[in-house]
Amino acid sequence: MQHPRHKTLSDILAREIADGTYPVGGRFPSEHELQARFDVGRHTVREALKTLTEQGMLGRRQKAGTTVLASTPFAHYAHTLRDTSGLFGFVGDTALDVRYLGFVREPSFLLEHAEPKAPTERWLRIAGVRHTRSDGSPLCWTEIYVPSAFPLDREAVRGARQAIYELCMETHNLKLNYVEQEIKATTLPRAIAGLLAAEPESAALLVLRRYVADAGVTFEVSANLYPANRYSVRTIIR
């Protein structure tokens, strides 16, 4: 079966990006240049570039042209949620590279609209880049906030192979009552986009979660910020 022309073209261009013909951070040929080189129509070129953009390899901006963002496609993480056990699976499939660990007075702007906030003046902030374990590619920027009423050992946090909320539950003998989740459409700030090898101000998904214990006390809030083409949530309702 013959592949569509745009699929053949996107495969060729992906190989050229991978072998360094077009280096990461460099300019990528324009639509007109690609049309002339491959003797194909505008629609074929646009569809090929759309594929590479959705795979996270290219960033396209009006008036700024097309830039190479990555030498290999980014994996899309589909998160299936049936119950709270689905949250454990997410941690098993990913790893957090902690870039910041310390107390703050206020959560970052990512959580400025999260409600209700935990009743505390100090938070332990754990922030960094979350990678997929399968290939090590950056998946999202993660920020986790634990109220000072639930202190955690910092070395245990840095070396944790489990979710931070699990560590908090074990440390303080808490029982999880429920997790409240909200997903918002937003854009990637420039500083975070650079860490994720994504285009600044491009579409993003912000996943906010609040973890509540049996006593009705919030013991963790978190924010995961994803480039929009790298994450989806699949919920099963019975």
Side-chain angles (χ1 to χ4, degrees):
M1 181 178 178
Q2 189 173 7
H3 288 299
R5 297 187 76 183
H6 68 82
K7 175 66 168 64
T8 301
L9 178 57
S10 67
D11 288 346
I12 293 171
L13 295 174
R15 286 195 296 271
E16 291 183 344
I17 293 171
D19 67 21
T21 302
Y22 305 109
V24 174
R27 174 187 171 276
F28 197 72
S30 67
E31 291 182 7
H32 181 73
E33 289 171 328
L34 292 173
Q35 283 180 252
R37 176 187 169 192
F38 292 99
D39 191 24
V40 294
R42 188 179 186 186
H43 175 75
T44 298
V45 169
R46 286 194 165 183
E47 287 299 308
L49 294 178
K50 179 182 176 183
T51 296
L52 296 175
T53 301
E54 290 175 347
Q55 291 175 343
M57 299 181 75
L58 296 180
R60 308 187 70 200
R61 301 183 70 182
Q62 285 187 340
K63 299 181 180 180
T66 303
T67 304
V68 180
L69 297 181
S71 59
T72 56
F74 284 106
H76 179 92
Y77 189 91
H79 192 184
T80 300
L81 285 177
R82 296 179 176 86
D83 49 35
T84 54
S85 63
L87 299 175
F88 292 87
F90 174 70
V91 173
D93 294 338
T94 65
L96 180 61
D97 175 16
V98 177
R99 305 292 182 93
Y100 182 92
L101 177 59
F103 281 98
V104 295
R105 290 287 178 182
E106 292 290 337
S108 79
F109 71 96
L110 293 180
L111 284 167
E112 62 185 1
H113 299 303
E115 294 292 346
K117 294 182 172 63
T120 181
E121 292 184 356
R122 297 179 75 232
W123 308 69
L124 177 64
R125 177 179 180 242
I126 305 152
V129 178
R130 190 172 290 281
H131 301 264
T132 57
R133 291 191 186 276
S134 58
D135 61 7
S137 61
L139 179 63
C140 66
W141 173 257
T142 293
E143 298 203 2
I144 299 168
Y145 293 86
V146 178
S148 57
F150 302 99
L152 296 175
D153 180 82
R154 297 196 188 192
E155 291 305 312
V157 169
R158 286 194 179 277
R161 295 279 296 181
Q162 62 189 149
I164 300 302
Y165 77 87
E166 287 184 273
L167 178 63
C168 194
M169 288 164 58
E170 289 182 3
T171 303
H172 297 284
N173 195 28
L174 300 172
K175 185 176 180 181
L176 182 64
N177 188 4
Y178 66 88
V179 180
E180 180 181 273
Q181 176 170 276
E182 182 178 4
I183 301 176
K184 296 183 175 183
T186 185
T187 56
L188 281 176
R190 182 170 295 276
I192 293 178
L195 294 171
L196 299 178
E199 187 72 7
E201 305 304 323
S202 59
L205 291 175
L206 176 61
V207 180
L208 302 169
R209 296 195 183 111
R210 184 168 68 95
Y211 297 80
V212 181
D214 261 357
V217 176
T218 297
F219 64 92
E220 179 185 311
V221 291
S222 69
N224 290 302
L225 184 64
Y226 301 85
N229 60 354
R230 297 186 199 172
Y231 184 76
S232 62
V233 177
R234 182 183 301 114
T235 304
I236 298 174
I237 301 173
R238 301 185 188 279

